[in-house]
Amino acid sequence: MRVRLTPKSSKDSIDGIETTAEGPALKARVRAVPADGEANAALLKLLSGWLGMGKSSLRLAQGGKSRVKSVEITGNADEIEARLAERLAAF
């Protein structure tokens, strides 16, 4: 899943879908600063709560130092697709 992250925000939130140069991405904001991996860790925590999954099911696959990141989700593919569809329907 592609995510565009904004660190040092006033709140932790998922704000919909945004168009990036790489393609559509989930728009996320975290309060953490982009130093020592803090913002990336906050992103994985935010996504795990948003999806209702354990944090161990998520891994930053690409973009450790970029605003646009790729997050790998492990688990039952049908269940993951259903959760994503349900959460994205709200946008």
Side-chain angles (χ1 to χ4, degrees):
M1 171 172 57
R2 188 176 299 118
V3 180
R4 184 185 186 289
L5 178 63
T6 302
K8 296 193 302 185
S9 178
S10 61
K11 64 180 181 173
D12 294 342
S13 65
I14 304 291
D15 296 332
I17 303 293
E18 182 174 303
T19 302
T20 67
E22 293 86 0
L26 196 61
K27 185 177 178 182
R29 299 189 298 166
V30 296
R31 290 182 291 231
V33 295
D36 300 323
E38 290 180 35
N40 292 335
L43 171 64
L44 294 177
K45 182 178 178 183
L46 175 65
L47 286 173
S48 70
W50 186 72
L51 290 169
M53 303 178 77
K55 191 175 161 193
S56 63
S57 299
L58 301 170
R59 178 181 79 83
L60 188 63
Q62 290 182 328
K65 296 188 183 267
S66 171
R67 284 189 185 258
V68 179
K69 303 171 183 304
S70 291
V71 176
E72 182 179 290
I73 306 170
T74 58
N76 180 304
D78 293 333
E79 185 178 312
I80 292 167
E81 285 182 25
R83 287 180 189 209
L84 280 170
E86 177 184 320
R87 298 304 264 151
L88 291 173
F91 301 120

